[in-house]
Amino acid sequence: METRIGYKYARQKVLQALSLRAYSHEVRHAIDVKNLLHSGHVTPEEVISLIESSSGADYSSSMHHVVQSVEVHVIRCSKWYIKFYFVDPDTVFISVHQ
């Protein structure tokens, strides 16, 4: 059975990871276009601001397409798409783009 953590906990955890700079990035095709945090086009502070402006209505989650035991979190706000997951103790960003 899947255990989903929900918006409030995911938001709190990802904001903490960003503020501590304690995160990594999933290696993927077109990472420089799909992950502007990785490429340096947006700062952690800008992503924090976007996430802080989000609400539960901006949030969804699903299981990772490869590792079915990993919940992937998506926040769509202010025309931005922020996709990440947690593999304790790591926070991993898949996408940060408009």
Side-chain angles (χ1 to χ4, degrees), residues 1-89:
M1 184 171 149
E2 300 171 359
T3 302
R4 300 213 177 205
I5 65 171
Y7 169 72
K8 287 174 75 173
Y9 184 72
R11 181 180 185 268
Q12 173 189 3
K13 196 167 176 174
V14 74
L15 288 172
Q16 181 179 25
L18 284 162
S19 66
L20 295 173
R21 306 286 196 280
Y23 56 85
S24 61
H25 303 278
E26 185 173 275
V27 177
R28 63 180 297 200
H29 177 70
I31 193 167
D32 291 337
V33 175
K34 295 285 188 175
N35 192 335
L36 299 178
L37 178 62
H38 175 265
S39 67
H41 286 89
V42 296
T43 66
E45 290 77 20
E46 289 171 310
V47 179
I48 287 170
S49 179
L50 287 166
I51 293 171
E52 285 178 337
S53 73
S54 72
S55 72
D58 302 318
Y59 171 81
S60 64
S61 73
S62 62
M63 302 318 284
H64 195 281
H65 68 283
V66 175
V67 184
Q68 287 294 307
S69 62
V70 173
E71 183 179 12
V72 175
H73 308 277
V74 177
I75 297 175
R76 289 181 178 99
C77 64
S78 303
K79 299 184 182 179
W80 281 86
Y81 182 83
I82 303 164
K83 188 174 185 179
F84 57 93
Y85 60 87
F86 307 111
V87 179
D88 283 330

